[in-house]
Amino acid sequence: NAGVTQTPKFRVLKTGQSMTLLCAQDMNHEYMYWYRQDPGMGLRLIHYSVGEGTTAKGEVPDGYNVSRLKKQNFLLGLESAAPSQTSVYFCASSPSSGGYTDTQYFGPGTRLTVL
Amino acid sequence: AQSVTQPDIHITVSEGASLELRCNYSYGATPYLFWYVQSPGQGLQLLLKYFSGDTLVQGIKGFEAEFKRSQSSFNLRKPSVHWSDAAEYFCAVGDTGGFKTIFGAGTRLFVKA
């Protein structure tokens, strides 16, 4: 049981490049989330999903897109990377009993640098 | 809208000393409250959570937190800190308007020998 895994762990992009971050969970959780973590700002929600095939915007969605084609995977895409997207990205998942009451299980993070 | 404030950006305590990390929330009804810990280079891990009932909740690693409605607080405590407790701690509240959890900015704990 691997829990929540994220690929890649580190990435350096040039401005304007695109990339996709992959999150996978093996706990059969319904809810999945993408956060970014910046110094002094805690975690801010980018997008989330309440089930396969559904996605919704969080607090800071601009510049990102997501897809949840399979229940176990949640992909975060950057179409045209900008230096302001330099951050540590965390994926999380939670069970189907109710999003805001659930414990969230976090992946180890992806450190992204945009030059 | 719900919000969470952690007034202390960082705290330094001596090993063996007691610890209290502050958290204040903004919410009208009984909130769903959480404390998470993030060790260096790791993702977040749940320490404890409060939904209802006894206002003193016990968590993992010897941590406890007390919910005080009158003060809109949910402070985290530990009687004796170990060097391995050095980490960043996040207080969070469940957003009952959606399916989300709102995190505070975090408090970084340093432990000195």
Side-chain angles (χ1 to χ4, degrees):
Chain A
N1 190 338
V4 179
T5 58
Q6 293 183 231
T7 308
K9 289 186 169 55
F10 303 93
R11 186 70 186 269
V12 178
L13 291 178
K14 295 181 179 178
T15 297
Q17 288 185 316
S18 64
M19 78 163 294
T20 300
L21 281 66
L22 171 63
C23 176
Q25 53 95 3
D26 60 3
M27 297 174 284
N28 200 36
H29 286 172
E30 289 291 336
Y31 299 85
M32 296 187 74
Y33 312 83
W34 275 108
Y35 295 91
R36 60 178 289 173
Q37 184 181 34
D38 302 292
M41 303 192 74
L43 275 74
R44 292 183 292 169
L45 183 65
I46 304 171
H47 286 281
Y48 64 101
S49 168
V50 299
E52 181 179 314
T54 71
T55 63
K57 294 180 180 180
E59 182 185 356
V60 288
D62 294 342
Y64 305 95
N65 57 75
V66 289
S67 64
R68 183 101 180 265
L69 299 180
K70 294 183 179 181
K71 185 177 183 179
Q72 64 267 34
N73 296 336
F74 195 29
L75 278 63
L76 178 70
L78 286 73
E79 292 183 347
S80 179
S84 60
Q85 294 178 304
T86 294
S87 187
V88 181
Y89 291 85
F90 287 100
C91 177
S93 69
S94 62
S96 59
S97 57
Y100 62 83
T101 66
D102 280 339
T103 298
Q104 293 190 28
Y105 296 82
F106 284 81
T110 295
R111 185 174 295 276
L112 175 65
T113 301
V114 183
L115 302 175
Chain B
Q2 292 94 326
S3 65
V4 177
T5 302
Q6 294 181 247
D8 303 306
I9 296 173
H10 55 80
I11 283 181
T12 301
V13 299
S14 298
E15 191 169 16
S18 63
L19 170 70
E20 183 168 26
L21 302 181
R22 297 184 291 163
C23 172
N24 294 99
Y25 65 89
S26 172
Y27 183 60
T30 300
Y32 294 82
L33 294 163
F34 307 81
W35 274 101
Y36 286 84
V37 60
Q38 183 183 28
S39 299
Q42 306 287 324
L44 279 70
Q45 179 186 20
L46 182 74
L47 282 175
L48 49 79
K49 58 186 177 183
Y50 171 79
F51 293 163
S52 64
D54 192 348
T55 56
L56 185 64
V57 292
Q58 303 296 323
I60 62 171
K61 305 185 181 186
F63 286 91
E64 65 178 27
E66 186 170 13
F67 170 63
K68 292 186 178 180
R69 184 189 300 276
S70 61
Q71 299 177 17
S72 296
S73 69
F74 188 56
N75 293 351
L76 182 72
R77 301 194 295 246
K78 187 169 185 179
S80 178
V81 169
H82 188 262
W83 64 266
S84 60
D85 293 324
E88 189 152 22
Y89 292 81
F90 293 91
C91 183
V93 63
D95 178 7
T96 55
F99 299 93
K100 309 185 295 290
T101 302
I102 298 167
F103 289 84
T107 297
R108 183 168 294 279
L109 172 66
F110 298 95
V111 180
K112 60 182 181 181

